[in-house]
mmCIF file of all heavy atoms in Angstrom:
data_model
loop_
_atom_site.group_PDB
_atom_site.id
_atom_site.type_symbol
_atom_site.label_atom_id
_atom_site.label_comp_id
_atom_site.label_asym_id
_atom_site.label_seq_id
_atom_site.Cartn_x
_atom_site.Cartn_y
_atom_site.Cartn_z
ATOM 1 N N ILE A 1 64.277 20.250 -24.304
ATOM 2 C CA ILE A 1 63.577 21.517 -24.949
ATOM 3 C C ILE A 1 64.747 22.606 -25.154
ATOM 4 O O ILE A 1 65.425 22.918 -24.219
ATOM 5 C CB ILE A 1 62.555 22.044 -24.053
ATOM 6 C CG1 ILE A 1 61.412 21.032 -23.860
ATOM 7 C CG2 ILE A 1 61.965 23.411 -24.563
ATOM 8 C CD1 ILE A 1 60.344 21.357 -22.935
ATOM 9 N N PRO A 2 64.992 23.118 -26.327
ATOM 10 C CA PRO A 2 65.983 24.100 -26.531
ATOM 11 C C PRO A 2 65.834 25.342 -25.767
ATOM 12 O O PRO A 2 64.668 25.684 -25.352
ATOM 13 C CB PRO A 2 65.853 24.467 -28.102
ATOM 14 C CG PRO A 2 65.067 23.266 -28.673
ATOM 15 C CD PRO A 2 64.155 22.746 -27.600
ATOM 16 N N ALA A 3 66.796 26.022 -25.483
ATOM 17 C CA ALA A 3 66.827 27.202 -24.651
ATOM 18 C C ALA A 3 65.889 28.307 -25.141
ATOM 19 O O ALA A 3 65.285 29.016 -24.397
ATOM 20 C CB ALA A 3 68.197 27.702 -24.453
ATOM 21 N N GLU A 4 65.792 28.431 -26.483
ATOM 22 C CA GLU A 4 64.960 29.489 -27.023
ATOM 23 C C GLU A 4 63.397 29.125 -26.899
ATOM 24 O O GLU A 4 62.591 30.037 -27.182
ATOM 25 C CB GLU A 4 65.287 29.726 -28.525
ATOM 26 C CG GLU A 4 64.990 28.710 -29.458
ATOM 27 C CD GLU A 4 66.024 27.576 -29.576
ATOM 28 O OE1 GLU A 4 66.945 27.592 -28.810
ATOM 29 O OE2 GLU A 4 65.905 26.773 -30.536
ATOM 30 N N GLN A 5 63.095 27.921 -26.533
ATOM 31 C CA GLN A 5 61.715 27.524 -26.434
ATOM 32 C C GLN A 5 61.165 27.703 -25.058
ATOM 33 O O GLN A 5 61.850 27.331 -24.076
ATOM 34 C CB GLN A 5 61.463 26.172 -26.871
ATOM 35 C CG GLN A 5 61.667 25.865 -28.292
ATOM 36 C CD GLN A 5 60.432 26.402 -29.147
ATOM 37 O OE1 GLN A 5 59.295 26.238 -28.763
ATOM 38 N NE2 GLN A 5 60.624 26.981 -30.333
ATOM 39 N N MET A 6 60.037 28.442 -24.834
ATOM 40 C CA MET A 6 59.442 28.624 -23.581
ATOM 41 C C MET A 6 58.339 27.672 -23.441
ATOM 42 O O MET A 6 57.434 27.497 -24.249
ATOM 43 C CB MET A 6 58.922 30.060 -23.413
ATOM 44 C CG MET A 6 58.376 30.439 -22.127
ATOM 45 S SD MET A 6 57.597 32.108 -22.039
ATOM 46 C CE MET A 6 59.129 33.066 -22.305
ATOM 47 N N VAL A 7 58.128 26.971 -22.248
ATOM 48 C CA VAL A 7 56.995 26.116 -21.958
ATOM 49 C C VAL A 7 55.827 26.934 -21.669
ATOM 50 O O VAL A 7 55.871 27.762 -20.789
ATOM 51 C CB VAL A 7 57.405 25.240 -20.767
ATOM 52 C CG1 VAL A 7 56.115 24.382 -20.447
ATOM 53 C CG2 VAL A 7 58.581 24.263 -21.067
ATOM 54 N N VAL A 8 54.756 26.781 -22.360
ATOM 55 C CA VAL A 8 53.579 27.504 -22.309
ATOM 56 C C VAL A 8 52.481 26.866 -21.460
ATOM 57 O O VAL A 8 51.919 27.383 -20.556
ATOM 58 C CB VAL A 8 52.981 27.878 -23.633
ATOM 59 C CG1 VAL A 8 51.661 28.641 -23.517
ATOM 60 C CG2 VAL A 8 53.943 28.775 -24.466
ATOM 61 N N CYS A 9 52.274 25.534 -21.709
ATOM 62 C CA CYS A 9 51.202 24.772 -21.047
ATOM 63 C C CYS A 9 51.371 23.294 -21.361
ATOM 64 O O CYS A 9 52.145 22.849 -22.215
ATOM 65 C CB CYS A 9 49.842 25.348 -21.466
ATOM 66 S SG CYS A 9 49.350 24.941 -23.066
ATOM 67 N N GLY A 10 50.458 22.463 -20.804
ATOM 68 C CA GLY A 10 50.298 21.115 -21.064
ATOM 69 C C GLY A 10 48.844 20.981 -21.519
ATOM 70 O O GLY A 10 48.037 21.827 -21.359
ATOM 71 N N ILE A 11 48.595 19.858 -22.225
ATOM 72 C CA ILE A 11 47.165 19.486 -22.540
ATOM 73 C C ILE A 11 47.113 18.000 -22.320
ATOM 74 O O ILE A 11 47.840 17.197 -22.871
ATOM 75 C CB ILE A 11 46.871 19.767 -23.968
ATOM 76 C CG1 ILE A 11 47.207 21.259 -24.399
ATOM 77 C CG2 ILE A 11 45.349 19.446 -24.297
ATOM 78 C CD1 ILE A 11 47.022 21.571 -25.860
ATOM 79 N N SER A 12 46.102 17.686 -21.445
ATOM 80 C CA SER A 12 45.812 16.157 -21.274
ATOM 81 C C SER A 12 44.705 15.856 -22.269
ATOM 82 O O SER A 12 43.719 16.532 -22.450
ATOM 83 C CB SER A 12 45.310 15.953 -19.840
ATOM 84 O OG SER A 12 46.404 16.206 -18.963
ATOM 85 N N ILE A 13 44.849 14.591 -22.876
ATOM 86 C CA ILE A 13 43.941 14.107 -23.851
ATOM 87 C C ILE A 13 43.601 12.610 -23.637
ATOM 88 O O ILE A 13 44.472 11.824 -23.421
ATOM 89 C CB ILE A 13 44.426 14.346 -25.355
ATOM 90 C CG1 ILE A 13 44.780 15.747 -25.613
ATOM 91 C CG2 ILE A 13 43.508 13.728 -26.310
ATOM 92 C CD1 ILE A 13 45.301 15.925 -27.050
ATOM 93 N N GLY A 14 42.299 12.365 -23.652
ATOM 94 C CA GLY A 14 41.917 10.983 -23.569
ATOM 95 C C GLY A 14 40.313 10.866 -23.561
ATOM 96 O O GLY A 14 39.619 11.795 -23.939
ATOM 97 N N HIS A 15 39.902 9.755 -23.115
ATOM 98 C CA HIS A 15 38.449 9.453 -23.027
ATOM 99 C C HIS A 15 38.018 9.928 -21.557
ATOM 100 O O HIS A 15 38.534 9.568 -20.572
ATOM 101 C CB HIS A 15 38.144 7.978 -23.136
ATOM 102 C CG HIS A 15 38.552 7.482 -24.512
ATOM 103 N ND1 HIS A 15 37.692 7.384 -25.535
ATOM 104 C CD2 HIS A 15 39.721 6.981 -24.985
ATOM 105 C CE1 HIS A 15 38.249 6.822 -26.689
ATOM 106 N NE2 HIS A 15 39.490 6.575 -26.262
ATOM 107 N N ALA A 16 36.977 10.729 -21.475
ATOM 108 C CA ALA A 16 36.505 11.131 -20.264
ATOM 109 C C ALA A 16 35.710 10.096 -19.534
ATOM 110 O O ALA A 16 35.108 9.277 -20.138
ATOM 111 C CB ALA A 16 35.464 12.382 -20.480
ATOM 112 N N ASN A 17 35.905 10.100 -18.228
ATOM 113 C CA ASN A 17 35.140 9.090 -17.359
ATOM 114 C C ASN A 17 33.631 9.525 -17.490
ATOM 115 O O ASN A 17 33.282 10.720 -17.688
ATOM 116 C CB ASN A 17 35.533 9.330 -15.899
ATOM 117 C CG ASN A 17 36.707 8.400 -15.609
ATOM 118 O OD1 ASN A 17 37.024 7.390 -16.366
ATOM 119 N ND2 ASN A 17 37.419 8.502 -14.490
ATOM 120 N N ASN A 18 32.738 8.565 -17.339
ATOM 121 C CA ASN A 18 31.372 8.864 -17.446
ATOM 122 C C ASN A 18 30.882 9.874 -16.484
ATOM 123 O O ASN A 18 29.990 10.717 -16.799
ATOM 124 C CB ASN A 18 30.527 7.549 -17.255
ATOM 125 C CG ASN A 18 30.751 6.614 -18.387
ATOM 126 O OD1 ASN A 18 31.042 6.965 -19.487
ATOM 127 N ND2 ASN A 18 30.470 5.294 -18.049
ATOM 128 N N ALA A 19 31.485 9.979 -15.283
ATOM 129 C CA ALA A 19 31.074 11.011 -14.353
ATOM 130 C C ALA A 19 31.664 12.367 -14.637
ATOM 131 O O ALA A 19 31.271 13.359 -13.871
ATOM 132 C CB ALA A 19 31.601 10.553 -12.946
ATOM 133 N N ALA A 20 32.441 12.579 -15.672
ATOM 134 C CA ALA A 20 33.032 13.870 -15.995
ATOM 135 C C ALA A 20 32.625 14.291 -17.322
ATOM 136 O O ALA A 20 33.559 14.615 -18.220
ATOM 137 C CB ALA A 20 34.506 13.709 -15.787
ATOM 138 N N THR A 21 31.398 14.412 -17.696
ATOM 139 C CA THR A 21 30.960 14.553 -19.051
ATOM 140 C C THR A 21 30.120 15.926 -19.133
ATOM 141 O O THR A 21 29.285 15.936 -20.030
ATOM 142 C CB THR A 21 30.284 13.439 -19.607
ATOM 143 O OG1 THR A 21 29.140 13.065 -18.806
ATOM 144 C CG2 THR A 21 31.162 12.317 -19.808
ATOM 145 N N ARG A 22 30.286 16.806 -18.293
ATOM 146 C CA ARG A 22 29.480 18.039 -18.380
ATOM 147 C C ARG A 22 30.271 19.260 -18.039
ATOM 148 O O ARG A 22 31.355 19.173 -17.337
ATOM 149 C CB ARG A 22 28.267 18.037 -17.319
ATOM 150 C CG ARG A 22 28.688 17.903 -15.916
ATOM 151 C CD ARG A 22 27.548 17.802 -14.924
ATOM 152 N NE ARG A 22 27.954 17.785 -13.568
ATOM 153 C CZ ARG A 22 28.071 18.922 -12.818
ATOM 154 N NH1 ARG A 22 27.808 20.069 -13.322
ATOM 155 N NH2 ARG A 22 28.448 18.828 -11.559
ATOM 156 N N ARG A 23 29.938 20.379 -18.535
ATOM 157 C CA ARG A 23 30.530 21.652 -18.341
ATOM 158 C C ARG A 23 30.144 22.151 -16.973
ATOM 159 O O ARG A 23 28.927 22.266 -16.596
ATOM 160 C CB ARG A 23 30.247 22.608 -19.372
ATOM 161 C CG ARG A 23 30.974 23.961 -19.257
ATOM 162 C CD ARG A 23 30.436 24.970 -20.277
ATOM 163 N NE ARG A 23 30.615 24.595 -21.579
ATOM 164 C CZ ARG A 23 31.804 24.708 -22.303
ATOM 165 N NH1 ARG A 23 32.781 25.215 -21.711
ATOM 166 N NH2 ARG A 23 31.872 24.322 -23.472
ATOM 167 N N LEU A 24 31.138 22.630 -16.129
ATOM 168 C CA LEU A 24 30.829 23.022 -14.811
ATOM 169 C C LEU A 24 30.781 24.624 -14.832
ATOM 170 O O LEU A 24 29.875 25.199 -14.107
ATOM 171 C CB LEU A 24 31.897 22.639 -13.829
ATOM 172 C CG LEU A 24 31.780 23.054 -12.439
ATOM 173 C CD1 LEU A 24 30.585 22.579 -11.670
ATOM 174 C CD2 LEU A 24 33.046 22.609 -11.565
ATOM 175 N N MET A 25 31.518 25.247 -15.601
ATOM 176 C CA MET A 25 31.636 26.697 -15.504
ATOM 177 C C MET A 25 30.727 27.456 -16.395
ATOM 178 O O MET A 25 30.490 27.073 -17.604
ATOM 179 C CB MET A 25 33.049 27.086 -15.920
ATOM 180 C CG MET A 25 34.114 26.594 -14.943
ATOM 181 S SD MET A 25 33.892 27.169 -13.195
ATOM 182 C CE MET A 25 34.729 25.815 -12.363
ATOM 183 N N PRO A 26 30.020 28.417 -15.943
ATOM 184 C CA PRO A 26 29.015 29.172 -16.778
ATOM 185 C C PRO A 26 29.827 30.070 -17.675
ATOM 186 O O PRO A 26 31.022 30.418 -17.464
ATOM 187 C CB PRO A 26 28.236 30.022 -15.773
ATOM 188 C CG PRO A 26 29.192 30.194 -14.577
ATOM 189 C CD PRO A 26 30.018 28.913 -14.551
ATOM 190 N N ARG A 27 29.191 30.577 -18.734
ATOM 191 C CA ARG A 27 29.746 31.565 -19.660
ATOM 192 C C ARG A 27 28.816 32.743 -19.694
ATOM 193 O O ARG A 27 27.589 32.781 -19.557
ATOM 194 C CB ARG A 27 29.839 31.021 -21.011
ATOM 195 C CG ARG A 27 30.842 29.853 -21.185
ATOM 196 C CD ARG A 27 32.277 30.372 -21.051
ATOM 197 N NE ARG A 27 33.287 29.476 -21.395
ATOM 198 C CZ ARG A 27 33.882 28.556 -20.600
ATOM 199 N NH1 ARG A 27 33.500 28.483 -19.351
ATOM 200 N NH2 ARG A 27 34.800 27.709 -20.979
#
C-alpha cells in the first residue's frame, strides 16, 4: 500500500451461515 494511502477498514464478504441471518441491532 503506497505511503499516501490510509487504511480505512476491511469488509468481509461471503455466504452467511444459516444461524446468522438476522439483524441484531435496533434502529
Side-chain angles (χ1 to χ4, degrees):
I1 298 173
E4 70 271 12
Q5 289 287 319
M6 182 185 299
V7 175
V8 176
C9 68
I11 308 174
S12 295
I13 298 178
H15 298 266
N17 275 343
N18 291 334
T21 56
R22 65 184 182 88
R23 182 189 299 279
L24 179 64
M25 298 300 157
R27 291 295 192 267

